[in-house]
Amino acid sequence: MRATLIYGASDVRVENVPDPKIQAPTNAVVRVVRSCICGSDLWPYGSRPASEHGDRIGHEFLGVVEETGSDVSGLKAGDLVVAPFAYADNTCEFCREGLQTSCLHGGYWGTGDVDGGQGEAVRVPQAQGTLVKLPAEEDSALLPSLLSLSDVFCTGHHAAVKAQVSPHTTVTVIGDGAVGLCAVLAAKRLGAERVILMGRHEARTDLGRDFGATDVVAERGEEGIARVRELTGGHGTHTVLECVGARPALETAFGVVRAGGVVSRVGAPQYAEGPIGFGMFGRHVTLTGGVAPARAYIEELLPDVLEGKVQPGRVFDRTVSMEEVPDGYRAMADREALKVMIQP
């Protein structure tokens, strides 16, 4: 079968790899119907050292079950399923607490001998705990929004949940990428009174307005902080959802959060230290967030997607074939595309 491998910075290739097979009773083999490129995939795409052997990549996919191991129940061949970006047994003590990303028997796609999601098929290690059956057909118009449940919509929702967004809450979202836009959607869905989106790409911020942003701030750094504070009477917002992962974004988050407020970060951090000294301590600012346990949120968000109350799939603005995946990476890295969907 064909799959995506990364060899180094700007070096993504589509090659033939062995077809996945059941290796344990907890496994399933899933034929991929849709996958996509994530903003976090761009970090290795921009900086990974060159290597002789490529590694599988990709962690978001929808597919149709082709085969299941003997320990898998509740799933059968022909079922359309969504896979969260981390696999988990969904039964261990951490999973029961809604922290499937810390599953004692789980892990991430594309690591070790585990298939990446950007391919024609995937072996799912903990199939029963990981895969969620979808009441839809594989040609449904809802596929883009259903695919967003694999990562970006759940991650935006996680940012809002950890920040305790609720009615009468004011929110700043930092970042107009797919996760940031989904964080806007999630904050609005939870009833946020005001949502300020910090981003400078007009097509993206226009979508952010459609998703519920009440204000857009294009300025960055100190100018951006000053603008948000101007919009909020000098105080800042109760919550800040940091969806970038760069240190300047975290610094901006601390600059625009209200005293006693919450900064929730879900952008994969590309820094080792941050400004969390006495200034934040004295203002009673809480820092939270983390890797989103997407599996914990899928059943909660799925009904609104199926009913069309939310349309997170609008973040996909380009679709490519399997062979066009390298160009999809280039387009996202060059900011020509917001989020690229792959149709094998």
Side-chain angles (χ1 to χ4, degrees), residues 180-264:
L181 296 177
C182 284
V184 171
L185 187 63
K188 186 66 174 180
R189 179 180 174 276
L190 293 173
E193 179 179 276
R194 187 176 194 180
V195 181
I196 301 171
L197 172 60
M198 300 190 75
R200 58 171 53 186
H201 303 91
E202 187 173 354
R204 300 182 181 192
T205 56
D206 284 349
L207 180 55
R209 290 186 186 276
D210 286 351
F211 278 177
T214 54
D215 305 90
V216 170
V217 171
E219 296 88 347
R220 293 184 178 180
E222 293 300 323
E223 290 184 359
I225 292 171
R227 179 59 179 150
V228 172
R229 290 198 166 271
E230 179 185 352
L231 290 170
T232 56
H235 298 308
T237 55
H238 299 104
T239 62
V240 182
L241 313 184
E242 194 277 281
C243 303
V244 178
R247 176 163 173 161
L250 182 65
E251 292 170 345
T252 296
F254 283 134
V256 301
V257 69
R258 182 186 177 101
V262 180
V263 171
S264 179

Side-chain angles (χ1 to χ4, degrees), residues 8 21 37 53 64 66 74 77 99 115 118 126 130-131 168 193 204 215-216 231 234 243 259 268 276 304 306 329 338:
K21 301 181 185 300
I37 301 170
H53 301 287
V64 174
E66 291 198 327
L99 201 60
D115 297 331
Q118 293 168 14
Q126 296 285 346
T130 301
L131 301 174
H168 312 300
E193 179 179 276
R204 300 182 181 192
D215 305 90
V216 170
L231 290 170
C243 303
I276 55 174
D304 282 0
L306 292 172
Y329 271 85
L338 169 58

Side-chain angles (χ1 to χ4, degrees), residues 118-141:
Q118 293 168 14
E120 293 180 327
V122 174
R123 179 181 68 86
V124 180
Q126 296 285 346
Q128 186 168 323
T130 301
L131 301 174
V132 178
K133 183 178 177 180
L134 300 171
E137 301 298 325
E138 63 176 284
D139 60 352
S140 170

Side-chain angles (χ1 to χ4, degrees), residues 54-87:
D55 290 324
R56 295 286 297 275
I57 192 169
H59 53 259
E60 304 159 271
F61 63 94
L62 298 175
V64 174
V65 175
E66 291 198 327
E67 185 182 0
T68 59
S70 58
D71 287 353
V72 179
S73 61
L75 295 170
K76 65 182 187 303
D79 286 343
L80 181 69
V81 292
V82 60
F85 67 86
Y87 65 87

Side-chain angles (χ1 to χ4, degrees), residues 13-14 18 28 85 139 148 187 197 234 248 279 297-298 313 323 333 335 342:
R13 310 176 196 177
V14 177
F85 67 86
D139 60 352
S148 76
L197 172 60
Y297 300 126
I298 292 175
E323 300 303 323
R335 299 297 189 268
I342 303 165

